[in-house]
Amino acid sequence: MRSVVVNIFFASLLAMVVSPAKADGMEGWHRYQHNPYSSVPDLSFLNEKPSGQRGRVIAKRAELAFEDGTSVKFWGANLQAYALFATEPRHIKAQAKRIAALGFNLVRIHHHDSLWVQPNVFDASAENTRTLNISSMKRLDLWLEALKAEGIYIWLDLHVGRRMVANDQITWFEEIAQDGHADVRGFNFISQSIQARMLEFQRQYLGYRNHLTGIRYADDPAIIAVLVSNENDLTHHFGNRLLPDKQVPEHNQLYMSEAKAFAKAHGLSQRRTWKSWEYGPSKIFLNDLERRFFDGMSADLRKTGFDGLIAPTNFWGKMPVSSLPSLSQGSMIDVHSYGANAGLGMNPHVESDLLSWIASGQVADMPLTISEWNIGKFPVEDRFVAPLRMATLAAHHGWDAPIIYGYSQQSLNGPLQPSNWSVASDPAILASLPASALLFRQGHVRPARKTYAIRLSADALFDEEVSPNTSMALRTLYEQSAVVIELPEVKELTWMKPRRAASSAIPVEDLGQSFLDVDAGIVEADTGDFSRNFSEGVFSVITENSQLIAGAMAGHDIVLDALAVQIGQPLAFVSLQSLDSVAIEQSGDLLISFSARIQPANDDDPLFLFEPLTGELRVRAAPGLTLRDLKGNPLPSKRVEGWYVIDLEEISNLRWIRLGKF
């Protein structure tokens, strides 16, 4: 029997502070101190250790696969900023084990170069951003080796928050500098000196040899992907930085010259082509300008010997589909998406959510990764639902790598301040992360039966906004069936390969069409595996190996196939899953995850307020099972007419329990 608890260093699951909460509306809630070394269910058995032994990960049409042809899905987390360079070496191995225990098999290294992170990857004594900080690189080496040992793969960003300085020898630096530093996003697409500095860094970074192994980063098969430049595009965000009214005359002159030449070469209106804020010819031109830069950076990456996946930049910040052509030149489309809440009550007839924006980036016949997702506001009460919905929709669509932002942005040497950017010690998100990882990585939710293809002409692609904001078809489809975006042939973009869905896909040309009845209050997957009752704010999954219910459950007697729930709290989730790949009702090893609302006591310390659960769980499972906590201690339950009956008040201080043969 595999162990399903991992204890990190010296801490127990929750260190309870005796006094109950006194906050308004939270009478009876209890205060707990939660730490990034608390015990969690151990899903590390999902990982093949060490990572990298199957060779490179490659893009194989619409999926990711190892060189030996084995398909692979990644469930990942960001590790960023101070977590990278300020975590003490003695804690790095333990945290790598905990990351694996939570079910992650991919970590993205992020904010390695950002000015606000000190130390970062640059040598501060050099008074430029052209020299690597060897001490910082050695700390990254420790992380990489510890993660690899736990079967976790690595994604490296190249340019994120680097702020260039005068000593970096940037032409016309004074035009773009503020307080002695320059955010080069947007300008990099036309400035040869900025491009030269970025090329120089990626050669240094990928050419660096891990001091523990002697292997260059470029040659390490466990490093599966690089991102050329984070959240850096012209088509939607930074094209406006180059306009005549932005007081950057030298950069504007270059930009206007490029726009004029492109318009003349392709018979486009010169008056419209440079107007980056307008749809039409400008979007075609800006895609081409982006592509030229990214092609050069990618070609140089290949010269370093790196033959893994390359993402040019991200599909992010409410970008329309007219931004996809240049991104389609990478190995995959990479998306960033944040929501105001978990979207339980989102009515797809009238509004979009974080998952619909991800669906709008799925280009036909290409892999899709999501290197950043989360709830953008903290601490919304339903945030524990977001991982469950993400895992379910990712499995449904066949998305290849959801990566939460982030595991930690703070050093992992002790308790963390509450933050959505450091879920390592947010007990609300942690409560549902193992269930989400298990569901996604073991394929507990089936792929959609049908695929719908958003089919656009070149004019429709560029002449107006096409996005979840404007497309009812996309919003009402993505929770029912798979959705892909086709890219048409564009005569001005001779480098772009048209992307077509399989012949079995159902074409969608009327984006205003609704695929839900106008009075519908429920949207259901075409497999029947999950549904969302948006009129009541309830999400459910019913499959052989995973059953869960989340949302507004108070006052309802909810019965799934093998899970029945009566809960007195207004917002909660419960999941029941097989750990031994056997259907729930025959399994001898079941994981039950659950939580009501959890809120931080304040912003300055790791105290959280836990809402006690009341009510009853019933589980229909094989006879002869016993109920235990993660440490193996027996818990009270009884068996009545084939159901195990569990009183939630007797286990309300827990977040995970096991029902199995011990």
Side-chain angles (χ1 to χ4, degrees):
M1 184 70 66
R2 69 175 66 90
S3 169
V4 293
V5 58
V6 58
N7 292 298
I8 305 296
F9 326 140
F10 42 80
S12 61
L13 173 63
L14 296 168
M16 182 175 177
V17 177
V18 175
S19 61
K22 300 296 185 184
D24 290 343
M26 297 182 182
E27 292 80 9
W29 293 32
H30 292 282
R31 297 177 185 267
Y32 293 88
Q33 179 173 300
H34 207 276
N35 299 305
Y37 33 75
S38 61
S39 302
V40 296
D42 187 359
L43 302 183
S44 62
F45 65 87
L46 296 172
N47 292 358
E48 185 178 75
K49 306 173 187 179
S51 60
Q53 60 185 286
R54 289 182 179 268
R56 283 291 187 197
V57 172
I58 60 174
K60 186 179 178 183
R61 301 199 66 174
E63 66 177 13
L64 298 180
F66 292 110
E67 285 180 318
D68 64 8
T70 306
S71 297
V72 60
K73 297 290 184 185
F74 293 100
W75 181 253
N78 279 263
L79 193 66
Q80 66 271 18
Y82 293 100
L84 298 173
F85 305 117
T87 300
E88 296 173 6
R90 67 191 180 96
H91 294 158
I92 288 175
K93 284 187 178 181
Q95 285 299 320
K97 289 181 180 295
R98 188 171 187 262
I99 291 168
L102 284 165
F104 294 117
N105 62 339
L106 178 64
V107 160
R108 176 186 181 221
I109 304 298
H110 187 61
H111 279 310
H112 59 299
D113 63 345
S114 294
L115 176 65
W116 57 270
V117 181
Q118 295 295 330
N120 61 24
V121 78
F122 298 117
D123 184 352
S125 68
E127 298 184 349
N128 60 39
T129 64
R130 301 182 63 182
T131 307
L132 294 182
N133 181 333
I134 298 304
S135 177
S136 293
M137 293 301 298
K138 287 184 175 180
R139 192 64 59 92
L140 287 182
D141 292 346
L142 293 174
W143 271 115
L144 267 56
E145 287 308 293
L147 293 167
K148 286 168 58 179
E150 299 302 324
I152 298 168
Y153 288 80
I154 311 297
W155 170 308
L156 294 179
D157 289 353
L158 299 176
H159 172 258
V160 180
R162 180 183 184 183
R163 297 295 183 263
M164 295 187 184
V165 297
N167 285 344
D168 290 330
Q169 299 178 335
I170 303 301
T171 306
W172 306 310
F173 177 78
E174 65 283 353
E175 279 192 1
I176 61 175
Q178 292 184 346
D179 299 324
H181 297 90
D183 176 1
V184 300
R185 289 179 297 174
F187 301 107
N188 59 286
F189 294 100
I190 59 168
S191 169
Q192 291 187 357
S193 59
I194 293 173
Q195 292 174 23
R197 296 291 79 78
M198 294 175 75
L199 286 167
E200 181 180 67
F201 174 76
Q202 67 183 35
R203 292 166 189 165
Q204 288 179 311
Y205 199 42
L206 292 179
Y208 170 82
R209 292 186 182 275
N210 188 312
H211 82 283
L212 299 173
T213 65
I215 301 173
R216 296 190 317 148
Y217 283 8
D219 301 326
D220 191 336
I223 297 176
I224 66 165
V226 297
L227 174 70
V228 173
S229 188
N230 185 69
E231 296 187 350
N232 184 5
D233 66 276
L234 295 174
T235 57
H236 190 64
H237 292 95
F238 298 114
N240 290 356
R241 286 187 167 185
L242 303 170
L243 298 180
D245 63 343
K246 295 302 188 290
Q247 288 78 52
V248 288
E250 299 292 348
H251 291 86
N252 172 252
Q253 184 177 350
L254 284 176
Y255 171 77
M256 297 297 283
S257 176
E258 293 283 3
K260 181 178 180 180
F262 187 83
K264 183 177 180 180
H266 297 286
L268 300 174
S269 165
Q270 293 190 22
R271 181 183 61 83
R272 295 185 63 199
T273 299
W274 66 270
K275 294 182 178 180
S276 59
W277 68 95
E278 291 185 352
Y279 285 92
S282 71
K283 301 304 181 186
I284 302 173
F285 161 60
L286 293 172
N287 268 283
D288 187 74
L289 195 53
E290 284 185 10
R291 187 272 314 174
R292 282 181 257 166
F293 169 77
F294 289 129
D295 273 4
M297 301 298 287
S298 296
D300 194 77
L301 283 168
R302 298 306 185 202
K303 288 182 181 178
T304 68
F306 180 74
D307 56 357
L309 307 170
I310 299 175
T313 190
N314 321 100
F315 188 69
W316 69 289
K318 305 293 189 287
M319 288 168 80
V321 300
S322 56
S323 296
L324 288 170
S326 70
L327 303 183
S328 72
Q329 298 307 104
S331 306
M332 66 284 200
I333 302 294
D334 184 60
V335 183
H336 290 177
S337 188
Y338 291 89
N341 52 52
L344 289 176
M346 185 273 289
N347 183 341
H349 282 118
V350 296
E351 57 187 328
S352 59
D353 70 349
L354 72 92
L355 292 160
S356 62
W357 286 95
I358 296 170
S360 72
Q362 176 65 82
V363 171
D365 206 33
M366 288 193 72
L368 182 134
T369 57
I370 311 152
S371 65
E372 292 184 23
W373 70 269
N374 205 332
I375 303 300
K377 295 182 179 180
F378 183 82
V380 296
E381 289 185 328
D382 67 349
R383 65 192 185 278
F384 54 70
V385 183
L388 300 169
R389 286 196 70 214
M390 173 61 73
T392 301
L393 270 296
H396 175 71
H397 282 270
W399 297 337
D400 296 277
I403 309 172
I404 193 170
Y405 190 95
Y407 182 73
S408 184
Q409 194 154 285
Q410 306 168 50
S411 69
L412 290 158
N413 301 319
L416 309 181
Q417 291 183 335
S419 166
N420 51 344
W421 315 138
S422 297
V423 302
S425 67
D426 178 6
I429 292 288
L430 286 174
S432 62
L433 274 177
S436 305
L438 198 63
L439 183 152
F440 177 71
R441 292 190 59 192
Q442 290 199 324
H444 292 184
V445 166
R446 293 171 292 179
R449 296 185 188 278
K450 299 177 182 178
T451 297
Y452 287 81
I454 305 297
R455 184 162 293 170
L456 303 170
S457 66
D459 288 343
L461 178 63
F462 293 112
D463 287 353
E464 60 186 358
E465 178 185 351
V466 177
S467 76
N469 277 341
T470 63
S471 174
M472 186 182 294
L474 195 153
R475 294 195 306 267
T476 56
L477 271 174
Y478 84 93
E479 290 177 279
Q480 298 185 69
S481 302
V483 179
V484 299
I485 310 296
E486 294 189 336
L487 294 181
E489 183 176 354
V490 180
K491 65 179 187 297
E492 296 90 352
L493 305 181
T494 56
W495 44 266
M496 188 182 81
K497 173 186 174 183
R499 299 283 180 172
R500 294 294 186 189
S503 59
S504 59
I506 303 166
V508 177
E509 297 178 347
D510 179 5
L511 299 183
Q513 177 183 0
S514 174
F515 288 82
L516 277 179
D517 291 340
V518 67
D519 58 350
I522 298 175
V523 57
E524 183 176 9
D526 62 17
T527 59
D529 283 357
F530 64 92
S531 65
R532 182 171 62 89
N533 184 328
F534 54 87
S535 65
E536 296 188 3
V538 176
F539 176 69
S540 61
V541 173
I542 307 175
T543 71
E544 280 194 350
N545 295 74
S546 278
Q547 296 189 20
L548 69 89
I549 186 79
M553 292 187 280
H556 299 286
D557 188 357
I558 298 167
V559 181
L560 309 182
D561 287 351
L563 175 66
V565 181
Q566 290 179 321
I567 285 182
Q569 284 57 53
L571 188 66
F573 91 92
V574 179
S575 69
L576 170 67
Q577 296 171 298
S578 166
L579 283 166
D580 54 12
S581 300
V582 176
I584 287 171
E585 294 188 40
Q586 287 78 49
S587 174
D589 196 354
L590 296 168
L591 175 68
I592 305 172
S593 309
F594 49 90
S595 180
R597 294 173 294 176
I598 301 174
Q599 295 292 78
N602 54 61
D603 295 334
D604 300 322
D605 59 50
L607 288 179
F608 285 84
L609 307 177
F610 282 64
E611 181 178 28
L613 279 163
T614 59
E616 183 180 88
L617 297 184
R618 287 177 287 145
V619 175
R620 186 161 59 193
L625 307 183
T626 58
L627 192 68
R628 297 181 183 269
D629 65 16
L630 294 186
K631 295 180 180 179
N633 300 313
L635 297 170
S637 69
K638 57 185 178 180
R639 184 171 167 85
V640 179
E641 297 179 349
W643 292 81
Y644 293 88
V645 181
I646 304 165
D647 185 341
L648 285 169
E649 291 188 59
E650 294 182 334
I651 58 170
S652 65
N653 64 322
L654 302 174
R655 292 296 166 262
W656 309 282
I657 55 178
R658 293 175 64 193
L659 183 63
K661 296 178 180 178
F662 300 101

